[in-house]
Amino acid sequence: MSDHSVEPILLEQLKKLQAKYDVMGQDLSSYLDGLLHSDYLTYWDYIHLDTLLSLQSPKTSLPDEKVFILYHQITELYFQLVLLEIEQLAQHENLEEKFFVDRLKRIVRYFQNLENSFSIMVDGMEKEQFLKFRMALLPASGFQSAQYRLIEICSTDMVNLVAMHEREAMLEYSDIGQQLEKLYWRSGATELASGKKTLTLRQFEEKYLRLFLETGMKYRDRNLRKLYLNHFPNSPEVISCLREFDTLANVLWPLAHMRSAGRYLQKDPEDIKATGGTNWQKYLPPRFQKIMFFPELWSEVERAEWGKAAFVRG
Ligand code: HEM
């Protein structure tokens, strides 16, 4: 074959391309011209590296504030990975056990990484710096992480996210709007006696409540719990993955996170106020909230021990 002849495989590809562009009424030749002039893709453009590294804007000149911002951003990217997997599962037309388990394993791995890496927060900043730059962040708080709330809403039925003291009574209602009113994090950031909401909560609700309601409706019949119950209620592998996910998301990550709060916000004799204004010592421990995505997968004893040392060791 001479240097100038076109290989048969290329001709075949050109024909397929022409068919593709013809369907859309487009001229393939013009697109090929575009290809001729376009630059080769680089790594840094592909992942938008310059943009990514320009997204940290500390409010102070204390160097550890960047550690704080970056680790929050890393966590949000992991949350995005988790949501991508859940979305794939929810949209799948013919869910098979292997696909379900493979995706659940990915979710478990993401959360394992989040739990393991939390020491970056616990041990990786100077307390003196933290206590200074935190004042520049008021009233922002990780409490306002919408992706964290979306993971919850897409993983289970809304009723399982209702504040513990209202959860049982709520079981009789099926209305998602009513359940949304009583979510544990809304009551955690509300002063019970006066009914006054923290500013952190009010701003968060204003921005995201509609999205949470819409997501709740969309996932009512296809959240992870529903997918499990409807498709694989007796699969030991599915059950094992879901138990692991529940433990990581609702006990181990919250405990790792709480160690940060303890390290930076505990000070004898009294505690330092949280930036989001919750009573964090009562709000953050998983043993007080008892949030479980898959309550039916736990025995009565396990539910009673949820978030306590015995449970975590077990
Ligand atoms: C020094 C590090 C940290 C401290 C001291 C801390 C402290 C707190 C406190 C006190 C709360 C309760 C809400 C409030 O009143 O503000 C909270 C909630 C929260 N934080 Fe953090 N946090 C830290 C790091 C992080 C990181 C890196 C993330 C990652 C995104 C994060 C995500 C969250 C989430 C999702 C909540 C809501 C938890 C729930 O509602 O159960 N936090 N944090």
Side-chain angles (χ1 to χ4, degrees), residues 48-248:
H48 292 280
L49 189 59
D50 290 345
T51 309
L52 187 65
L53 298 181
S54 72
L55 295 175
Q56 298 73 37
S57 316
K59 298 284 176 214
T60 70
S61 56
L62 297 155
D64 283 359
E65 192 187 345
K66 263 211 173 177
V67 179
F68 186 71
I69 295 174
L70 278 161
Y71 189 69
H72 276 83
Q73 292 178 333
I74 289 167
T75 305
E76 289 291 343
L77 290 174
Y78 269 99
F79 287 165
Q80 179 70 49
L81 284 170
V82 172
L83 285 167
L84 281 172
E85 302 303 336
I86 299 181
E87 203 175 325
Q88 278 197 61
L89 289 172
Q91 283 174 357
H92 208 281
E93 298 286 334
N94 291 307
L95 208 49
E96 282 179 7
E97 187 179 343
K98 184 177 178 326
F99 188 84
F100 196 52
V101 167
D102 284 350
R103 263 59 197 177
L104 290 177
K105 283 185 177 164
R106 290 185 187 181
I107 293 173
V108 163
R109 277 196 299 271
Y110 300 145
F111 260 99
Q112 281 169 339
N113 271 9
L114 284 178
E115 190 217 345
N116 291 337
S117 60
F118 220 96
S119 52
I120 291 173
M121 282 287 95
V122 180
D123 301 319
M125 297 183 297
E126 277 179 20
K127 185 169 175 175
E128 295 67 34
Q129 289 193 38
F130 175 82
L131 290 177
K132 285 182 191 148
F133 68 70
R134 68 180 283 282
M135 300 312 284
L137 319 175
L138 287 164
S141 164
F143 179 93
Q144 296 172 315
S145 165
Q147 292 202 107
Y148 186 77
R149 307 300 172 202
L150 289 174
I151 290 173
E152 294 180 325
I153 293 171
C154 298
S155 294
T156 191
D157 295 278
M158 192 80 85
V159 70
N160 292 325
L161 305 173
V162 165
M164 201 170 68
H165 60 283
E166 313 245 26
R167 209 174 298 157
E168 244 171 68
M170 267 285 158
L171 280 176
E172 52 199 89
Y173 302 119
S174 61
D175 185 77
I176 285 196
Q178 274 172 308
Q179 292 164 355
L180 191 72
E181 282 298 310
K182 306 280 183 189
L183 291 190
Y184 78 96
W185 49 267
R186 296 179 81 182
S187 85
T190 304
E191 208 180 281
L192 285 183
S194 64
K196 201 164 175 259
K197 294 177 182 187
T198 63
L199 177 57
T200 303
L201 176 61
R202 277 188 279 138
Q203 289 185 322
F204 188 47
E205 287 182 348
E206 205 168 299
K207 176 144 173 77
Y208 289 114
L209 211 53
R210 177 175 284 277
L211 172 69
F212 295 153
L213 179 62
E214 285 167 2
T215 308
M217 309 279 254
K218 190 169 150 202
Y219 277 78
R220 190 207 305 251
D221 300 317
R222 49 182 135 142
N223 59 65
L224 287 185
R225 176 172 178 264
K226 279 282 160 58
L227 294 179
Y228 144 66
L229 289 174
N230 291 339
H231 295 274
F232 316 105
N234 302 313
S235 158
E237 239 198 315
V238 168
I239 290 174
S240 155
C241 288
L242 291 176
R243 280 171 60 101
E244 221 176 328
F245 173 40
D246 221 358
T247 312
L248 280 160

